[in-house]
Amino acid sequence: MSERRVVYRTCHLCEATCGLELHLEDDDIALVRGDHDDVFSHGYLCPKGTAIRGLEADPDRIRVPQLRRGDNWFDVSWDDAFAEIDANLTRIIDAHGRDAVALYLGNPNAHNLAGLVYNRVLIQSLRSQNVYSASTVDQMPKQVSAGLMFGAALTIPVPDVDRTDYLLMLGANPFASNGSLMTAADIPGRLRALRERGGRLVVVDPRRTKTAEEASEHLFIRPGTDAHFLMGIVHTLFDDNLVRYGTVAEHLNGAEEVARVALDFAPEVVAPVCGIDALTIRRIANELVAAPTAAVYGRIGTCTHEFGTLASWLVDVINICTGNLDRAGGAMFTRPAVGGANTGGSGGRGRGVKFGRRTSRVRQAPEFYGELPVVCLAEEIETPGDGQVKALLTIAGNPAVSNPDAQRLDRALSTLDFMVSVDIYRNETTRHANVILPPERELARGHYDLALYSLAIRNVANYSPPVIDVGATERPEWQTLLRLSAIVAGQGAGADIDALDDVVVGGLVHKAVGRGGSNVEGRDAEDLLGTLATRRGPERVLDFMLRTGPYGDGFGADPDGLSLAKLEENPHGIDFGALQPRIPDALRTPSGAIELAPETVIADVERLRGAFATNGASPLRLVGRRDLRSNNSWMHNIDVLVKGKERCTVHVHPNDAARTGVVDGALTRVWSATGEVVLPAEVTDAVMPGVVSIPHGWGHDTPGTEMRVAAKHAGTNSNVLASTAVFDPLSGNAVLNGIPVEIAPAVR
Ligand SMILES: Nc1nc2c(c(=O)[nH]1)N[C@H]1C(S)=C(S)[C@@H](COP(=O)(O)OP(=O)(O)OC[C@H]3O[C@@H](n4cnc5c(=O)[nH]c(N)nc54)[C@H](O)[C@@H]3O)O[C@H]1N2
Ligand SMILES: Nc1nc2c(c(=O)[nH]1)N[C@H]1C(S)=C(S)[C@@H](COP(=O)(O)OP(=O)(O)OC[C@H]3O[C@@H](n4cnc5c(=O)[nH]c(N)nc54)[C@H](O)[C@@H]3O)O[C@H]1N2
Ligand code: SF4
Ligand SMILES: [Mo]
């Protein structure tokens, strides 16, 4: 007889954090539904949430460590795998130094409690300058701009979607992505509600997306020109005396600087650059001010180009100059249950952020928040000399698909002396590894969205306990990360990782009791550690962070306060309510003010002025296209998500098709200065003239991978067209949108 039971779990597959109701039959998922009692998602879920069933059961998933000898792969024991890793990494570190070992952290780490807690330990143990992550193919511009303006990387304002009257959205397609840097379960429902209550949603995108179709108004914009468009709005605000700072007025530095640099960006000047006419730009500026409340929100389409930081900065400049920062219905700061840089200590002032404390070896690109831009990774592997990267650890990343100039990076990976991947698949990246270490099944892990809840549109918290046991041949990912940490720290493959875990927690507790403003300031650290002793691993750390967070019980100081036990008693989550104003408390700038005009950002405006001419020129520009049933590069091995009409196609506007001879449904060659791909065309006016669109994350026909379903729906990797030569100098972010390309019918 099999055992049937129902469990509740937060979906870890995107930033929306929906509650899932899972019907289990023994240890397998028989049915997935939305959890109607979830305090945040109220039963909403998307096709990916349902696909967790296929993901957990996927026969291609790696379940035991894999060792490669030449082209052959073998199952090995955990002990043998770690011994192999220890021997090789120690050899390389001894011969070439620590910088010879690079680390790449991929996107799923942001959705994984083990990664969120223990990758930091791995970075500290490795002490290599070559730390990379998917952040620099994604949101680094937002983190840089938030850090400079408000004092910390994740002090990013989120639009108060549920209460706003007017939402100006740029470079985001939440009907496909379900929202990003804006954690909001059921964002489609929330955006529809905004319109139903009489609000306006204005979408700015070079494509007519599903979100654009659902909007009150859609504006096509030339890729890469959001900063110009937004400057046109700022110019109008100052020029027409529309500026009002609202409640944050007394906490601002640099308003005159902003007015000064916006002078040159009259709507009439930027209109030919961005393709949105001057009257419309002025009208939008006026509407933002006239609306009872309004918010501007920019996401990946505004980040992944040369002016990513400027665009991200301007989004918040407008929120501030229209009086919408930090008020209900505007752009607000979350107060997350697990505190972060903007809740700890005494608020209102801090150390701020510093970048470029070191630079990359080959092109001297600056570091941001301790990591180097991924555009540097290939050259650091290829270029001989002191500090050359000889070995690589990838944790939940697929840079051979997700990073620019993917073909070159792929080649570079094949030249490494040694590579280790912690991953669930043998894919385009991990096929180069010498050892692949799999995590345990998702259901065997505890889950809490440590990172995403700090960007949520309500203050919410929800913990999912493991619901099945870790399999006999599995190892929890957190233990694997600690064991890798011990190895790179020189403690060997057999180190006592339990003791190492004690050191990690001990460090956190000692720091907290010594910190002014903490709710355990002055308490006995050993005492607190004793209270935590019933838990291990990420749960122990999480319990500590919840109890010392903004709603925490402070280990008895507030008996009604939050702890992990309390979240365990609330399987559908706890809602702490709508966002509340947090200025000045949330600020951590050295001045204690919002820095409206950070020096480096103002200096960069010159570059934007220089781009007036070049952006007007007319080669075709390539942009991406997320799909509801994809997840970057890694969920194409699940049949229900890939079946049906082929999705990896190039969208071409009818005018451009006519001009180039490209035919709907026919194979088409797309090339850039960096590379070329061949794929079917879809001729459609859903892209603006002069723009073509290819989704990223495809190209699964590489030899040596083991993803049988994905291989049948291979598609092609659009990132062979992106270059590593250009990037946003303020954040190191790669340019993945707005790439100049040409197209022609493919000759076969
Ligand atoms: N052209 C273009 N390129 C893009 C983008 C774009 O819009 N256009 N988007 C960019 C963005 S936003 C991002 S975030 C990056 C993503 O870039 P990456 O993070 O490099 O790539 P992913 O496709 O997310 O790959 C995730 C990897 O994690 C593995 N994995 C999944 N779950 C787990 C787990 O629980 N544990 C472990 N250890 N591994 C796991 C998967 O098998 C896969 O190998 O791609 C970027 N690349
Ligand atoms: N289903 C699904 N959900 C996902 C993911 C996924 O792969 N699939 N990935 C997750 C990840 S890692 C992230 S970071 C988020 C991203 O979440 P979003 O930021 O919402 O990402 P996209 O859906 O790619 O929307 C970006 C939009 O920007 C447009 N765009 C491109 N260039 C420009 C430009 O220069 N200016 C303007 N204004 N627009 C431009 C594109 O046409 C596209 O419609 O989604 C997450 N959610
Ligand atoms: S929207 Fe995101 S969190 Fe919700 S079910 Fe889909 S993938 Fe999971
Ligand atoms: Mo991302």
Side-chain angles (χ1 to χ4, degrees), residues 15 107 134 137-139 180 299-300 626 632:
E15 299 178 40
N107 170 269
V137 276
D138 187 350
Q139 81 290 351
S180 181
R299 201 41 284 269
I300 195 160
R626 270 183 172 69
N632 295 321

Side-chain angles (χ1 to χ4, degrees), residues 169 262 328 383 405 624:
M169 180 179 286
T383 314
D405 204 347

Side-chain angles (χ1 to χ4, degrees), residues 408-441:
R408 173 179 172 197
L409 183 59
D410 183 70
R411 259 196 317 271
L413 295 182
S414 72
T415 67
L416 286 166
D417 183 337
F418 193 70
M419 178 169 156
V420 181
S421 293
V422 182
D423 209 287
I424 58 176
Y425 287 114
R426 197 203 310 152
N427 62 19
E428 299 77 12
T429 294
T430 62
R431 74 193 175 109
H432 293 294
N434 299 80
V435 180
I436 307 177
L437 303 171
E440 75 279 44
R441 279 180 58 186

Side-chain angles (χ1 to χ4, degrees), residues 174-373:
F175 275 81
S177 70
N178 275 291
S180 181
L181 303 189
M182 166 183 70
T183 289
D186 189 13
I187 186 74
R190 292 174 198 269
L191 292 175
R192 285 179 182 134
L194 156 67
R195 293 206 53 198
E196 275 157 25
R197 65 176 180 266
R200 269 181 84 72
L201 170 64
V202 178
V203 169
V204 180
D205 198 301
R207 301 187 303 116
R208 190 174 61 250
T209 60
K210 171 82 172 134
T211 308
E213 277 168 6
E214 297 270 351
S216 324
E217 180 176 3
H218 168 222
L219 302 169
F220 276 136
I221 186 168
R222 288 223 176 91
T225 66
D226 298 81
H228 291 93
F229 168 68
L230 294 168
M231 268 293 200
I233 293 182
V234 175
H235 176 99
T236 309
L237 293 174
F238 281 101
D239 205 38
D240 295 358
N241 272 323
L242 298 171
V243 173
R244 50 166 92 141
Y245 299 113
T247 55
V248 302
E250 57 192 290
H251 305 288
L252 294 178
N253 265 350
E256 311 73 31
E257 274 298 282
V258 174
R260 186 180 61 77
V261 297
L263 270 179
D264 292 348
F265 293 84
E268 293 69 22
V269 176
V270 298
V273 183
C274 65
I276 300 175
D277 65 81
L279 269 178
T280 303
I281 297 173
R282 288 186 186 276
R283 172 171 58 82
I284 301 281
N286 277 275
E287 286 175 2
L288 281 167
V289 175
T293 63
V296 187
Y297 164 76
R299 201 41 284 269
I300 195 160
T302 63
C303 288
T304 44
H305 58 72
E306 268 183 273
F307 303 109
T309 306
L310 281 177
S312 300
W313 164 70
L314 285 163
V315 162
D316 288 324
V317 164
I318 297 173
N319 281 322
I320 293 165
C321 291
T322 55
N324 282 302
L325 187 78
D326 201 40
R327 71 152 156 177
M332 305 189 77
F333 299 103
T334 315
R335 190 166 178 261
V338 166
N342 70 39
T343 58
S346 36
R349 191 181 290 275
R351 266 181 308 182
V353 295
K354 263 209 182 65
F355 307 122
R357 289 162 297 188
R358 48 194 178 72
T359 55
S360 71
R361 178 180 64 110
V362 178
R363 79 167 84 171
Q364 265 87 55
E367 142 282 338
F368 297 93
Y369 299 112
E371 54 183 272
L372 291 171

